[in-house]
Structures are given as structure tokens and as C-alpha cells.
Amino acid sequence: MFADLNTLFHAPDMTSRLLPALLIAFLTIGFSSAQDTSVHSLSKPASDVDGKAGFAAMISRGYTPLFNGHDLTGWRNPYPHGEAKVVDGEIHLLADNKFFLVTDKKYTDFRVSIEIHLPEGPANSGVMFRCHVDEDAAKRKVFGYQAECDGSDRRWSGGFFDEARRRWIWPSTKGRSLDQFLTHEDESKQFFAAPRVRDALNRNGWNRYEITCLKDLITIELNGVQTVRFRDATDASGFIGIQHHGEEGQTYRFRNLFIKPLPEIPAQQFAALTQQKPVSVKRINDKVTLIDFGKAAFGNIVMPVPQGRGSANVHFGEKLSDGRIDQNPPGTVRYGVTPIHKGGQRGNWIVPAPVIPRNVEQAGLIYANPPAVLTPPQWRSVMPFRWVEVEGLDPDYPFDLIRRRAAYSATWNDDASAFECSDETLNRVWELCKYSIKATTFAGVYVDGDRERIPYEADAYLNQISHYTTDDDVTMAARTFDWLMENGTWPTEWAPHMVFMAQDQWMYSGDDDWLKYRYESLKSKTLLNRSGDDGLVRSSKLDQNRHDIVDWPKKERDGFVFTEINTVVNAFHIRAIKQMAMMARAIGKNQDADAFEDRAELAKAAFQKALFDEAAGIYRDGICTDHSSIHANFFPLAFGLVPADEIAGVVAWLNEQDMQCSPYAAQYFMDALFSQGSGQKAIDLMLADGDRSWKHMVDSGTTISWEAWDLKYKPNQDWNHAWGAAPANLLPRFVLGAQATSPGWTTAMIRPCPGGLEHARGRIPTPRGSIEIEWKNESTFSLALTLPDEMSAKVSLPANEGTTGVFVDGAPVPATKAGNRWLVDAPVQGTVTVLAK
């Protein structure tokens, strides 16, 4: 599917992250009673029998019903013929001539979702959108845009048709399309002949249509397969409608009709502005005053209206140069200026930050990017900045009364988390990374810095797991998951990150219902549709050249060699289907769970056989190459794919490597090292001299983490990118050592990894309350632990040289020594002191 869509949409070379946003999200259709657990079924959502689960799922995702399930309130039939009735929560259309049932209301920008069940025999239906009603017409009363539901052997379901007007738009065909659409006739027909699109319709069952209209951009998805992405400005608003094609005796069934107005602005409800005083005000010369707010944040300023005549300028910047705001910063480091006028009013000006057009664009012409995440219009425009220069005001102006209006999550709690250890630089790294998570919550969902103010799946996942460890009221992760299921992006490995996001949200919250409502939609994210009989995912030439990421930017891939069977892509695939098995089991889909587990075992065996270099004891990048990058080894290690008897060799090899990856991939590199007893190596890499470490970031003076280690590694990088904040989760999860072992944190593992540190202490937020940890790493390893009520934890401590046992509150307890660690046999609760001595 990736190849088909990108070929058709003429994606440019992957020198930018603005490639087509391939919306491959399958919408949730609820609980499945299907018994088919083939690869085909595991990669497509199953529909529920009565539609009730699908209804609940759409409500859970913030949609508004267009149909109340009881009567036809809100709908009308403009024709003198045709019958519409409600049967068991469905709309049934019956007729012997074509007609449409349409809404009473018109809609402009929206996402509409409707399920259709065609009758047996000749049948054709569709969803009208932004359509019109000509009350005076004898026959063609309803006309306009339609998403086709084609029950014939032609199989053009999901096509874009213009009813009673221009007819076929995509695909197009001679005799039934205007000349302007015939220019893509061959292309569009080839697209609909591709198996994934051709077979998208479930001819004898329910089919979910999702149509999105945003300005002139129209997309249609059928059962999760994007069939249309087209620009057409003919209609800006209109009715929603459903069709009976006119076959006598045929009943067309419709259910779960929902709409969501666009654009969504999550910050309207979930973020807030905070007024902040300057930390310093400095007069630079007779015209310019420099104001420092201490840290960068997304926002703008409010200032007393200057009196007098003329104008002044407010300069916003992220970077200084020779004591002044850098007005020509590198990459996408932010600078902008807003002119203001003196006098005329009393009170305060809100001075908006300059607008970056792509960051407010809902349907721009930049390739096929998803819509930008907007901030509330009443805020005025915002941008990331630390410094303000006010140019053109007299020295007696009250500069100290200027305030920054900084935007953060409305529920952010600075006191929810804490970390402190014996290494002061590591403490500075923690503070940088924690604040980076806070500063990037401004939009109400996790966004990709400020160069592209949209969510990306991998970026969002790294934000998510760090948000859990730094704040105590985290709803943003689940909200961003739903956003991305409707606005997905293009990279291969980003799709499995959606499975990771769901798994971690479920483990964090313990909310089985949330998971049930989204489980089916995740099936499209595992890459199963690209896997072969051996269980391994294949990458076409287009995938290898454009979609398979490994790491970003390209120069951070440690020389990775792309092949048809790619080690990193397959590591993500196997981890995703393993997690799908766990989630399926949790919500009672045991046959799915069995099938996913079987598939994971098949793929894991093939993975080891095809990709492990027995002689070298490490993984190759893929088939048909002898090159081994660090990525081909730390991803399998982090995902638990390395056989037990091969772990030591892979770890030993990785311990000899440097930070030959980006801040994104470093999350997984550090995770692999910490989890396999190489915490010292992980901390050494975090604090390494040079320009490829978090030490370099904090020494640079930045207050929000960067997208790359330095501008020379990514010249267009921004300075407000939370995927560079991995220590915000790594230090609590590994150095302090707190990780959930059951959904909702009912049980946990406390496993400190000191890595040579002498002591550490901190606070880790969980949905059940805070975990307090303090440990000292001496000849005796001592741990002071406080757990929230209703949580128990297993404890694993380092087995320092000479230690012979473990004591809890001074009393010896049964414990098992495995390698260089002690594992206390019985879980602990409440407040305890645990010693290994």
C-alpha cells in the first residue's frame, strides 16, 4: 500500500519529513466474533455483529452521532419516493427508484464515518458529502460529492464520484468523466486494480467509510484503506447523505453514522497560558532592550501599551549571538519580529508571535502532510522563544512589566516528579529533559517541535513515555494516539509505534475499555500486510529508498545497508505482533492472541536464522549484506528478540560502540544497555565529551532538547523537539528503577541500575500515586522505597561484591541471586528499606 500511494502522489525524495501522510488507520469497529485468524484477518479490523461496540468506540474517540439509533430525527427524504425506516438501530433504505436520505444540516470541514451493508445481488450505494438538494428538480434532486460503494465486479468502492454533475473523478473513465480527470485515467484504474484497494470492500458484510473534508482536500478511506486523496474546490459545504440505488426489493443498511467537526484544537481544552516574569532586563543601547525569560517556551507576550507616537518592534528569538537575538539563526531555530504601534489606547497589548504558515496550515500544498495542530485563536499566534528584544521604546518604559504568556498542559504539575543523583551533569540532563516534555505540551497533543507542528508516531511515543515519568495527570498520550490514527504519517517503523503507544497507554492506565475500543484499528499498524510465509516483512525498492527509516536523519544510520528483508523493520514488526498478542489476550480475544503468538514465533525463528551472523555473534543489517550497524543490534536487544545464549555477545559488541545514532534511536540504544546490565555504558554515553551526548546539549545552554545532537548532523533541526528528551524516562525507569509490570500499575518492578553512581533519589508519578525511591550504592546497596496504596512491587538489587543476602526492614528475607543481581522472592508494599549486604 505504501508503494502504491507514494507512487501515485509523486512523493519527493526523503530529504524532508514532509512526505505524504499515508492515512492507513483502520477505524475501530469494535469487538470481533470472527473465527478467522489468518494473516489476512489479523491485518484487517473485524466488525462486530450488532454494531454496539463500534458505536461505543466512536463515542470514545470524540465523534458525534448523526443518527440516534431510534428514529430519523435530523434526516429527510427530499424525494416523493423511497422509504427510510429504523430497524434494530440501523437505517434501512427501500425503493424501486434511486433516492438519497440527507441530513437537515449542512457541514463544512469534518470527518464523517458511516458503515454500509450492501444487499445481495446487483447493488450500488455510497455516502454523499458536501452535497446539495435541488428541491425543484424532478429527478436529480441530490447532487454533489459521493464516496462510492460498488457491489459490482468492477470493484471501484471507495472511489470519488460527483453525482448528477461531473461523474467519475477518481478513478476516471472515458465516457463518464470530464477531460480534466481523464489525464489520470490509467493511473487511477491501476490504483483500484491493486489488491489492497480492489479487495477493500467486504461484499457480504459491513463496511466502514471515513470521509475527511478539510478546505479543498478530500480523503476517503474504506475499511482503513485510503482510496482517495484529492483536491477539489467545487464545494465548500453541504449535506451528508446515504443512497439507495433503486433496485426494487433491495434493502440497503446503514449504521454507526458519526461526524467530527474540523479543525480540532486540543489546546482549547487541555492547555493553558501562564504569565511569566522576566528573569533579567538589560538595556542594550538607546533603542534596544533585551529581556530574558530564563527558558524557552511556546507563547507570546503581553505588555503595557507604549504611549507616544510612531511604532516599535518586538523581536522573538530562541538563540543569542554576541549578546543579541540572532536574527538569522541556523536550521529552523526560531526568530521573528512583530511591529507594534504606540499610543491610542490604555491598558495592555497582546503581542502575537510571528506566524509560520506551515504551522497553521490545515490543507496546505506541501506534499500530503497531515493538518497542523492549531492553537486557540484567542491566544493569538505563539512560537518558541526565550528572549525578547524591544526596539524603539524609551528607557523609561516599564520593561519589567512585560510578561511572557507561555503555553503548557493545563494540568502540568512540576512537583509530580523528581530526580537527583551523585553526578551533577546527569542532574542537569534530567532537568533539561523534564522541562522539554513540559514545554512541548503546549498544543494539547504531542507535536513534532515547531518546524512541522504535527504529531509523528515515533516522536509521540517518546513524548508519551517521558510524560508518564514526569507528570501525574497524563491524558495527552491517549488523545495523541487517536489523533494519529486519523492523521498517520509515512515511515515504515512509525506504524508499529502506534502499537507501542496503545500498549504503554494500557499498561499505564489499566483501562481495558479504552483498549477494546481501539484494538481492531491497531491491526493495520503491525506491517503484517507486508510479511511473507516465513513471517518476515519485505521491503520493496520504494520502501527501501523512502519509507524504511532505521534512524533520522539519514547520516545517523551507522552505515545501515537497506535490503529486502531489513533487520530493524522486522524487529519492529515482531515486537508489535508480540504486543498485539498480549493486548488481545487481555480483552478476551484469545484466538487472535494465539494467532499473533504463533506468528511472532514463526517470524522470530526466521529472523534469527536469516539475520544473525553466527561467526560474528551479532546481527547483520539485512539479507544479502555483511554489514552490521548498531541499529541492527540494539533494536532486537531492546525488543527482547535476542536468544538468551546470544545476549552476552551482542551486549559486549554494543559496549564497544559509540553514540552512532540520533537522539531518537538513542532511546532504544540506552534501553537495551540498561535492561541488559550495561547501565554504566549507557550513563557514560549520556555524559560523553564531544558533541554526541546529552552533556553536549546541556553545556550548549539550551533549555529544550534538540532534534539532533548538533546542527552539523541535521542542518534544518529545531531546538524544541521532545524526542531528544529520552533521559526524562530512562533515568526514572532504570537509574531509579521503577517500571509497571501489570496494567494500571497494580504491580511494579523496582530494579535500580546504578551504573557507577554513588546515590540517587527521586519521585516517579503513577496513576496510583507517587513512588518514592532513594538508594545508596556502597559495599552495601541500600534502598528506601515508598509505594502508593494498592501497589505491590518485586525488588531487584545489584549484588555488589561480598554481598550474601537481602534484608527488608532489618530482617533477612528469601532472595535469589542471578548473575550480578539479587531478586527478593516476595513482593513488598508500603514503605520499606531493603539492603543487599
Side-chain angles (χ1 to χ4, degrees):
M1 175 188 176
F2 290 111
D4 292 337
L5 283 175
N6 273 282
T7 299
L8 292 172
F9 297 139
H10 310 295
D13 185 69
M14 200 167 61
T15 54
S16 154
R17 294 186 68 177
L18 291 176
L19 290 176
L22 304 178
L23 306 183
I24 61 168
F26 283 102
L27 289 182
T28 303
I29 308 179
F31 309 104
S32 171
S33 61
Q35 301 301 304
D36 180 12
T37 52
S38 65
V39 172
H40 180 74
S41 73
L42 289 177
S43 63
K44 295 184 68 174
S47 62
D48 56 310
V49 174
D50 59 12
K52 293 180 180 178
F55 186 93
M58 298 302 289
I59 295 293
S60 172
R61 293 170 49 210
Y63 281 77
T64 300
L66 284 168
F67 165 53
N68 63 24
H70 304 293
D71 58 44
L72 294 175
T73 300
W75 293 83
R76 68 190 181 99
N77 177 5
Y79 294 83
H81 60 270
E83 179 185 2
K85 58 184 180 180
V86 178
V87 180
D88 296 331
E90 301 172 4
I91 296 177
H92 288 193
L93 300 186
L94 301 89
D96 55 7
N97 199 357
K98 181 191 291 189
F99 85 102
F100 298 87
L101 192 70
V102 297
T103 56
D104 292 337
K105 292 175 57 178
K106 289 185 176 182
Y107 300 90
T108 301
D109 289 346
F110 55 83
R111 182 174 289 111
V112 66
S113 180
I114 294 176
E115 290 181 55
I116 303 176
H117 196 301
L118 293 175
E120 296 181 3
N124 183 286
S125 185
V127 178
M128 302 294 293
F129 57 96
R130 285 184 178 172
C131 70
H132 310 281
V133 178
D134 182 352
E135 302 289 356
D136 298 326
K139 291 185 178 181
R140 297 182 175 182
K141 287 182 176 292
V142 176
F143 64 95
Y145 295 153
Q146 182 185 89
E148 179 78 6
C149 187
D150 180 7
S152 74
D153 292 339
R154 182 181 55 183
R155 298 189 182 187
W156 283 2
S157 288
F160 185 18
F161 189 73
D162 195 356
E163 173 73 27
R165 200 165 50 181
R166 296 171 299 169
R167 299 180 293 178
W168 280 106
I169 295 176
W170 177 273
S172 57
T173 188
K174 288 182 178 64
R176 301 200 66 194
S177 299
L178 299 182
D179 288 348
Q180 70 185 92
F181 303 128
L182 292 177
T183 58
H184 57 242
E185 179 180 7
D186 291 343
E187 182 182 45
S188 62
K189 286 180 176 177
Q190 290 172 17
F191 178 73
F192 275 83
R196 186 169 173 80
V197 179
R198 181 195 67 206
D199 299 334
L201 184 78
N202 178 6
R203 181 58 185 85
N204 299 309
W206 285 100
N207 297 276
R208 177 173 294 283
Y209 279 77
E210 183 180 68
I211 300 105
T212 303
C213 294
L214 201 53
K215 309 296 184 183
D216 66 333
L217 183 60
I218 295 166
T219 62
I220 298 173
E221 290 188 13
L222 168 57
N223 293 330
V225 177
Q226 187 182 97
T227 55
V228 170
R229 184 182 180 93
F230 206 89
R231 289 187 179 275
D232 192 89
T234 302
D235 296 312
S237 66
F239 301 105
I240 308 297
I242 53 179
Q243 179 191 23
H244 190 296
H245 197 251
E247 296 85 359
E248 186 175 359
Q250 298 281 50
T251 299
Y252 289 80
R253 301 162 61 191
F254 302 84
R255 71 182 189 188
N256 290 338
L257 295 86
F258 283 89
I259 197 164
K260 180 187 288 185
L262 298 177
E264 292 182 87
I265 306 179
Q268 194 86 54
Q269 183 177 354
F270 300 107
L273 295 173
T274 300
Q275 289 204 7
Q276 298 173 325
K277 297 179 180 179
V279 298
S280 71
V281 178
K282 180 180 180 181
R283 190 72 173 173
I284 299 295
N285 55 43
D286 61 349
K287 292 185 177 180
V288 177
T289 298
L290 178 67
I291 299 172
D292 182 8
F293 289 96
K295 293 181 178 180
F298 285 79
N300 50 41
I301 66 168
V302 59
M303 60 187 292
V305 176
Q307 300 305 300
R309 295 183 177 180
S311 61
N313 290 316
V314 177
H315 301 264
F316 299 83
E318 283 187 288
K319 181 179 179 294
L320 289 186
S321 178
D322 297 326
R324 298 286 302 276
I325 289 178
D326 190 341
Q327 296 189 14
N328 188 29
T332 50
V333 178
R334 289 301 183 215
Y335 162 75
V337 59
T338 301
I340 58 173
H341 295 284
K342 300 178 184 178
Q345 299 183 43
R346 295 288 179 179
N348 293 313
W349 284 121
I350 294 174
V351 182
V355 174
I356 309 298
R358 68 192 290 179
N359 286 343
V360 296
E361 183 55 68
Q362 290 292 284
L365 297 177
I366 304 175
Y367 311 132
N369 227 35
V373 180
L374 302 182
T375 51
Q378 64 269 28
W379 286 8
R380 313 289 295 277
S381 56
V382 301
M383 68 175 276
F385 68 96
R386 172 176 172 176
W387 290 278
V388 163
E389 281 183 4
V390 183
E391 177 187 23
L393 297 185
D394 295 334
D396 60 351
Y397 177 84
F399 294 101
D400 59 327
L401 295 182
I402 293 176
R403 298 290 181 265
R404 180 172 66 186
R405 306 192 318 153
Y408 306 109
S409 167
T411 57
W412 182 272
N413 178 8
D414 280 322
D415 296 326
S417 61
F419 176 86
E420 183 183 358
C421 71
S422 54
D423 189 290
E424 184 53 38
T425 302
L426 201 59
N427 295 337
R428 292 168 58 210
V429 168
W430 159 258
E431 292 297 334
L432 166 69
C433 294
K434 175 181 175 177
Y435 179 73
S436 298
I437 301 303
K438 176 182 179 179
T440 53
T441 60
F442 74 99
V445 292
Y446 306 129
V447 296
D448 181 48
D450 198 54
R451 190 179 69 256
E452 301 166 83
R453 207 176 284 180
I454 64 173
Y456 277 93
E457 292 87 342
D459 307 61
Y461 177 64
L462 269 59
N463 271 72
Q464 170 185 6
I465 57 178
S466 289
H467 199 173
Y468 291 154
T469 57
T470 51
D471 197 6
D472 58 3
D473 185 0
V474 182
T475 61
M476 196 170 292
R479 195 159 53 250
T480 306
F481 175 90
D482 285 344
W483 181 287
L484 279 164
M485 290 304 290
E486 296 173 351
N487 298 282
T489 67
W490 53 272
T492 295
E493 296 98 307
W494 277 206
H497 273 95
M498 294 302 293
V499 180
F500 302 176
M501 288 187 75
Q503 164 82 6
D504 277 41
Q505 172 62 19
W506 171 61
M507 286 295 292
Y508 173 80
S509 68
D511 188 342
D512 288 350
D513 284 341
W514 183 91
L515 180 59
K516 287 177 183 177
Y517 296 151
R518 289 155 180 84
Y519 166 81
E520 292 292 341
S521 66
L522 285 170
K523 289 180 175 179
S524 69
K525 300 298 184 180
T526 64
L527 307 180
L528 268 170
N529 64 298
R530 282 172 49 180
S531 66
D533 291 342
D534 58 0
L536 296 180
V537 170
R538 268 66 177 174
S539 295
S540 69
K541 288 296 183 183
L542 187 61
D543 293 323
Q544 295 172 46
N545 292 333
R546 290 182 175 171
H547 305 134
D548 297 351
I549 283 289
V550 175
D551 204 345
W552 195 261
K554 293 179 179 181
K555 292 182 180 179
E556 296 286 32
R557 293 168 175 164
D558 191 27
F560 189 91
V561 177
F562 288 83
T563 62
E564 181 187 11
I565 296 178
N566 171 323
T567 304
V568 173
V569 165
N570 275 283
F572 272 91
H573 168 62
I574 298 170
R575 187 194 194 201
I577 57 178
K578 288 172 64 177
Q579 290 189 342
M580 288 296 291
M582 184 184 305
M583 291 187 283
R585 188 81 65 197
I587 60 174
K589 291 181 173 286
N590 291 323
Q591 288 190 325
D592 274 9
D594 291 342
F596 276 122
E597 287 171 358
D598 290 345
R599 192 72 183 177
E601 288 304 310
L602 172 70
K604 187 175 177 182
F607 180 88
Q608 189 67 21
K609 182 177 180 180
L611 301 169
F612 191 72
D613 185 337
E614 295 284 352
I618 55 177
Y619 290 91
R620 296 181 288 263
D621 294 346
I623 61 169
C624 304
T625 179
D626 291 328
H627 185 266
S628 295
S629 64
I630 61 171
H631 303 74
N633 287 275
F634 65 65
F635 280 116
L637 191 63
F639 296 164
L641 306 184
V642 184
D645 58 348
E646 303 290 359
I647 289 176
V650 174
V651 171
W653 185 81
L654 286 172
N655 273 317
E656 298 300 316
Q657 311 306 310
D658 295 323
M659 191 76 84
Q660 293 145 216
C661 62
S662 75
Y664 149 69
Q667 168 74 57
Y668 296 102
F669 189 13
M670 303 299 98
D671 205 308
L673 293 171
F674 273 122
S675 63
Q676 296 300 329
S678 292
Q680 180 68 64
K681 172 68 174 180
I683 292 172
D684 288 347
L685 287 170
M686 289 182 185
L687 303 180
D689 293 328
D691 58 9
R692 300 183 65 80
S693 69
W694 281 281
K695 178 178 183 291
H696 173 61
M697 281 196 202
V698 296
D699 287 347
S700 75
T702 187
T703 58
I704 304 179
S705 57
W706 296 339
E707 183 181 7
W709 297 120
D710 199 84
L711 282 161
K712 70 183 180 183
Y713 301 114
K714 194 175 193 299
N716 73 333
Q717 76 152 320
D718 59 27
W719 277 13
N720 44 73
H721 209 100
W723 87 347
N729 72 78
L730 293 168
L731 298 178
R733 291 172 54 231
F734 292 110
V735 174
L736 294 179
Q739 298 193 44
T741 55
S742 60
W745 281 87
T746 56
T747 62
M749 171 63 78
I750 307 299
R751 185 182 180 273
C753 300
L757 297 172
E758 296 174 359
H759 59 79
R761 62 181 176 182
R763 182 182 313 110
I764 302 99
T766 81
R768 296 183 177 275
S770 295
I771 299 174
E772 302 279 348
I773 293 175
E774 182 172 3
W775 56 253
K776 294 182 179 179
N777 183 28
E778 300 167 335
S779 57
T780 295
F781 190 95
S782 62
L783 170 73
L785 172 67
T786 299
L787 298 171
D789 293 341
E790 300 181 357
M791 181 189 296
S792 63
K794 298 295 292 288
V795 175
S796 171
L797 301 183
N800 291 344
E801 186 176 355
T803 58
T804 59
V806 178
F807 297 76
V808 174
D809 292 337
V813 296
T816 302
K817 187 177 181 183
N820 60 358
R821 299 197 71 89
W822 288 102
L823 177 63
V824 179
D825 290 353
V828 300
Q829 291 181 299
T831 298
V832 295
T833 299
V834 188
L835 304 177
K837 64 179 183 178

